[in-house]
Amino acid sequence: LHSFPTRRSSDLTPIDPAVVDHAAVEYAAGRYDAAYAAYAARLDDDDVARADLAFNLGACAYRLGRFAEAALWFRRAGLVTP
């Protein structure tokens, strides 16, 4: 299987750094459910870098074995990238 790492929190702008750091820490610790929840909490925020967020949600879903959902998030990340 391929590994899909999340992007560095410094690449995600403009997002509340505390939220990004929390999600990145959870992901790095292998707590993909918690990381997914932290990233998903930002979906309704208009100031979120949507492509990065969708990519990170895809990476979490992939690690959780939710491959179809991961594919949808990765596709969404590609669609919102300028």
Side-chain angles (χ1 to χ4, degrees):
L1 297 176
H2 297 285
S3 176
F4 293 101
T6 59
R7 295 182 183 173
R8 294 184 317 258
S9 61
S10 61
D11 293 341
L12 302 173
T13 56
I15 299 175
D16 179 0
V19 173
V20 172
D21 290 345
H22 172 69
V25 166
E26 295 294 348
Y27 186 92
R31 294 185 294 266
Y32 306 117
D33 280 326
Y36 186 95
Y39 288 126
R42 303 304 291 177
L43 284 173
D44 292 330
D45 190 340
D46 289 336
D47 293 328
V48 171
R50 298 216 183 273
D52 292 333
L53 182 59
F55 179 87
N56 291 342
L57 284 163
C60 291
Y62 180 87
R63 294 291 186 153
L64 292 166
R66 301 184 330 221
F67 303 115
E69 180 183 356
L72 291 173
W73 282 118
F74 289 135
R75 175 179 271 175
R76 185 173 178 188
L79 291 175
V80 295
T81 301

